[in-house]
Short mmCIF file of all heavy atoms in Angstrom, two decimals:
data_model
loop_
_atom_site.label_atom_id
_atom_site.label_comp_id
_atom_site.label_asym_id
_atom_site.label_seq_id
_atom_site.Cartn_x
_atom_site.Cartn_y
_atom_site.Cartn_z
N LYS A 166 41.36 -3.30 -10.87
CA LYS A 166 41.18 -3.98 -12.10
C LYS A 166 40.98 -2.86 -13.23
O LYS A 166 41.32 -3.18 -14.37
CB LYS A 166 40.02 -4.96 -12.17
CG LYS A 166 40.09 -6.11 -11.22
CD LYS A 166 41.20 -7.08 -11.68
CE LYS A 166 41.40 -8.32 -10.82
NZ LYS A 166 42.25 -9.28 -11.24
N MET A 167 40.39 -1.80 -12.89
CA MET A 167 40.06 -0.79 -13.88
C MET A 167 41.18 0.31 -13.85
O MET A 167 42.03 0.48 -14.83
CB MET A 167 38.76 -0.23 -13.79
CG MET A 167 37.63 -1.26 -14.09
SD MET A 167 35.88 -0.60 -13.96
CE MET A 167 35.87 0.60 -15.33
N MET A 168 41.17 1.15 -12.79
CA MET A 168 42.10 2.13 -12.64
C MET A 168 43.60 1.59 -12.74
O MET A 168 44.56 2.15 -13.32
CB MET A 168 41.98 2.95 -11.36
CG MET A 168 40.61 3.69 -11.38
SD MET A 168 40.54 4.71 -9.88
CE MET A 168 41.82 5.78 -9.86
N GLY A 169 43.80 0.36 -12.01
CA GLY A 169 45.10 -0.26 -11.94
C GLY A 169 45.63 -0.65 -13.31
O GLY A 169 46.94 -0.77 -13.48
N THR A 170 44.80 -0.83 -14.28
CA THR A 170 45.17 -1.16 -15.63
C THR A 170 44.99 -0.18 -16.71
O THR A 170 45.13 -0.37 -17.75
CB THR A 170 44.43 -2.45 -16.13
OG1 THR A 170 42.98 -2.25 -16.06
CG2 THR A 170 44.71 -3.67 -15.13
N GLY A 171 44.85 1.12 -16.08
CA GLY A 171 44.72 2.27 -16.92
C GLY A 171 43.34 2.40 -17.61
O GLY A 171 43.33 3.29 -18.63
N ILE A 172 42.41 1.68 -17.23
CA ILE A 172 41.05 1.89 -17.78
C ILE A 172 40.48 3.14 -17.24
O ILE A 172 40.05 3.16 -15.91
CB ILE A 172 40.15 0.72 -17.45
CG1 ILE A 172 40.73 -0.44 -18.28
CG2 ILE A 172 38.78 0.95 -18.05
CD1 ILE A 172 40.77 -0.60 -19.71
N GLN A 173 40.16 4.17 -18.02
CA GLN A 173 39.45 5.37 -17.48
C GLN A 173 37.95 5.20 -17.57
O GLN A 173 37.44 4.90 -18.62
CB GLN A 173 39.92 6.51 -18.23
CG GLN A 173 41.33 6.91 -18.20
CD GLN A 173 41.71 7.31 -16.85
OE1 GLN A 173 40.90 8.04 -16.05
NE2 GLN A 173 42.90 6.85 -16.27
N GLY A 174 37.27 5.34 -16.52
CA GLY A 174 35.77 5.24 -16.56
C GLY A 174 35.07 6.38 -17.18
O GLY A 174 35.63 7.54 -17.31
N ASP A 175 33.87 6.09 -17.69
CA ASP A 175 33.06 7.27 -18.25
C ASP A 175 31.95 7.57 -17.33
O ASP A 175 31.88 7.16 -16.22
CB ASP A 175 32.59 6.77 -19.65
CG ASP A 175 31.73 5.44 -19.51
OD1 ASP A 175 31.55 4.99 -18.57
OD2 ASP A 175 31.35 5.06 -20.62
N ASP A 176 31.00 8.42 -17.78
CA ASP A 176 29.87 8.82 -16.87
C ASP A 176 29.01 7.58 -16.46
O ASP A 176 28.48 7.61 -15.34
CB ASP A 176 29.14 9.84 -17.57
CG ASP A 176 28.59 9.48 -18.86
OD1 ASP A 176 28.93 8.35 -19.36
OD2 ASP A 176 27.78 10.27 -19.51
N TYR A 177 28.99 6.53 -17.44
CA TYR A 177 28.24 5.38 -17.14
C TYR A 177 28.92 4.65 -15.95
O TYR A 177 28.26 4.11 -14.98
CB TYR A 177 28.08 4.50 -18.28
CG TYR A 177 27.17 3.26 -18.08
CD1 TYR A 177 25.96 3.36 -17.81
CD2 TYR A 177 27.76 2.01 -18.19
CE1 TYR A 177 25.02 2.31 -17.59
CE2 TYR A 177 26.92 0.85 -18.08
CZ TYR A 177 25.61 1.02 -17.84
OH TYR A 177 24.69 0.02 -17.48
N THR A 178 30.20 4.47 -15.92
CA THR A 178 30.94 3.88 -14.85
C THR A 178 30.70 4.49 -13.58
O THR A 178 30.37 3.80 -12.47
CB THR A 178 32.50 4.03 -15.05
OG1 THR A 178 32.76 3.53 -16.45
CG2 THR A 178 33.25 3.16 -14.14
N TYR A 179 30.80 5.87 -13.50
CA TYR A 179 30.51 6.65 -12.28
C TYR A 179 29.10 6.55 -11.85
O TYR A 179 28.80 6.56 -10.66
CB TYR A 179 30.89 8.15 -12.45
CG TYR A 179 32.51 8.25 -12.57
CD1 TYR A 179 33.05 8.57 -13.70
CD2 TYR A 179 33.37 8.03 -11.36
CE1 TYR A 179 34.44 8.81 -13.84
CE2 TYR A 179 34.63 8.11 -11.53
CZ TYR A 179 35.28 8.48 -12.68
OH TYR A 179 36.67 8.66 -12.88
N GLY A 180 28.18 6.47 -12.84
CA GLY A 180 26.82 6.27 -12.49
C GLY A 180 26.52 4.97 -11.79
O GLY A 180 25.71 4.90 -10.87
N ILE A 181 27.22 3.90 -12.22
CA ILE A 181 27.07 2.51 -11.59
C ILE A 181 27.50 2.65 -10.12
O ILE A 181 26.92 2.21 -9.23
CB ILE A 181 27.85 1.50 -12.36
CG1 ILE A 181 27.13 1.30 -13.80
CG2 ILE A 181 27.85 0.28 -11.56
CD1 ILE A 181 27.91 0.52 -14.72
#
Side-chain angles (χ1 to χ4, degrees):
K166 299 291 186 179
M167 293 181 67
M168 292 181 64
T170 55
I172 298 294
Q173 296 296 321
D175 58 6
D176 55 354
Y177 185 61
T178 309
Y179 291 109
I181 294 170

